[in-house]
């Protein structure tokens, strides 16, 4: 009987200590949160891969996936040059700002 | 046929100069001269069209890119009169056969020395041809620079 009572007292005491510890822990957490501001964590930037000497170079234009045959491409270049020559001739005939930068129908400039 | 380099010359002078040269046929698809070749002769186009091209890298390969086209009455190969006497373009008869009068530099220079009056007129005509080409290329270059600026400042 004495042993039982002793075990019971120890258990009750242990539970009391545990409850007190739990209460203290939760009370301090509640009281701290509104007063102390959260520490400002340094902002983590999204790190882009750096390119030596080439950060200012814009991304290359998206090229069409389907390439035209080389003969067609050469013909397009020739037509572009012819149109540019015609535009230059037109400027030399009537030299104005508008004529100088008049846009042709070339697919290379549209 | 009137040739741009011979504008303003008397018909007898034109005949004398044309007699210095020889006629040459250029088969379609073949080159009259190539970039870097020794430029010993000037050519006056009599028939057909001559395409002038420059090499350019396209898709990893080298291609002859159209620069300009010269037609009957016009001249090609004036590098023959200007040091270092090397052609700076390639000239090709593209779709059809062409015919040119080939004027050797040495014969021309001898004629110029003996006949300064027509030589002066030819020099002025040559200046007009070269000057026009310079203005044309300058304009095309400026248009290209304008586009580059627009692309990079957009």
């Amino acid at each position: 009987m004495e042993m039982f009572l002793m075990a019971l007292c120890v258990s009750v005491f242990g539970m009391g200590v545990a409850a007190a510890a739990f209460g203290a822990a939760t009370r301090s957490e509640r009281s701290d949160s509104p007063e102390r501001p959260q520490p400002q964590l340094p902002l983590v930037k999204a790190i882009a891969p750096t390119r030596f000497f080439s950060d200012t170079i814009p991304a290359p234009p998206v090229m069409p996936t389907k390439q035209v045959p080389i003969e067609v491409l050469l013909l397009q270049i020739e037509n572009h040059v012819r149109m540019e020559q015609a535009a230059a001739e037109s400027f030399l005939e009537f030299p104005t700002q508008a004529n100088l930068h008049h846009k042709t129908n070339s697919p290379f400039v549209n | 046929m009137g040739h741009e380099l011979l504008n303003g010359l008397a018909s007898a002078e034109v005949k004398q100069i044309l007699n210095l040269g020889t006629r040459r046929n250029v088969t379609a698809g073949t080159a009259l001269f190539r970039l870097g070749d020794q430029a010993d002769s000037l050519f006056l186009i009599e028939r057909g069209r001559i395409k002038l091209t420059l090499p350019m890298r396209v898709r990893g390969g080298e291609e002859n890119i159209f620069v300009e086209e010269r037609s009957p009455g016009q001249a090609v190969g004036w590098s023959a009169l200007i040091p270092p006497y090397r052609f700076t373009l390639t000239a090709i008869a593209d779709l059809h056969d062409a015919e040119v009068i080939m004027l050797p530099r040495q014969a021309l220079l001898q004629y110029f020395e003996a006949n300064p009056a027509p030589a002066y007129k030819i020099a002025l005509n040559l200046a007009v041809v070269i000057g026009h080409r310079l203005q044309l290329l300058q304009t095309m270059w400026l248009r290209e620079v304008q586009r580059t600026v627009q692309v990079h400042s957009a």
Side-chain angles (χ1 to χ4, degrees), chain A residues 58-63:
Chain A
V62 179
M63 299 298 290

Side-chain angles (χ1 to χ4, degrees), chain A residues 19-107:
Chain A
F22 177 75
T26 53
R27 187 167 48 246
S28 87
E29 205 175 86
R30 254 181 271 122
S31 62
D32 279 350
S33 58
E35 289 169 14
R36 197 164 61 189
Q38 288 289 327
Q40 289 290 320
L41 293 173
L43 288 174
V44 180
K45 287 182 181 175
I47 299 170
T50 54
R51 291 175 295 173
F52 192 63
F53 281 148
S54 62
D55 279 348
T56 56
I57 296 175
V62 179
M63 299 298 290
T65 50
K66 192 179 177 185
Q67 286 190 330
V68 296
I70 188 76
E71 296 79 13
V72 175
L73 179 61
L74 293 179
L75 200 60
Q76 285 176 343
I77 295 172
E78 180 174 331
N79 286 336
H80 170 72
V81 174
R82 285 183 190 277
M83 280 191 259
E84 282 299 305
Q85 272 181 1
E89 293 273 11
S90 171
F91 166 74
L92 293 177
E93 197 76 22
F94 302 103
T96 63
Q97 178 96 5
N99 258 353
L100 178 58
H101 297 300
H102 166 72
K103 208 172 174 182
T104 69
N105 291 326
S106 169

Side-chain angles (χ1 to χ4, degrees), chain B residues 34-105:
Chain B
R34 291 190 180 279
L35 169 75
D37 286 354
Q38 187 75 35
D40 294 325
S41 296
L42 175 74
F43 304 94
L44 306 180
I45 303 173
E46 282 280 288
R47 181 171 52 85
R49 289 172 177 272
I50 299 287
K51 258 188 186 181
L52 300 171
T53 67
L54 275 176
M56 189 169 125
R57 299 286 294 176
V58 180
R59 290 182 185 163
E62 194 173 274
E63 301 289 346
N64 282 321
I65 298 299
F66 173 84
V67 175
E68 62 180 303
E69 190 174 63
R70 310 299 275 167
S71 44
Q74 296 184 306
V76 288
W78 42 259
S79 297
L81 297 178
I82 296 166
Y85 310 118
R86 293 271 172 193
F87 290 118
T88 54
L89 294 156
T90 294
I92 298 172
D94 193 29
L95 294 174
H96 305 285
D97 292 358
E99 186 182 352
V100 297
I101 297 175
M102 186 169 73
L103 294 167
R105 178 175 65 248

Side-chain angles (χ1 to χ4, degrees), chain A residues 84 88 91 96-97 100-101, chain B residues 134-150:
Chain A
E84 282 299 305
F91 166 74
T96 63
Q97 178 96 5
L100 178 58
H101 297 300
Chain B
L134 175 66
Q135 286 180 320
L136 201 64
L137 292 177
Q138 180 180 272
T139 306
M140 291 171 72
W141 171 78
L142 191 62
R143 288 168 59 82
E144 203 57 49
V145 169
Q146 177 69 72
R147 276 194 288 271
T148 306
V149 168
Q150 277 171 345

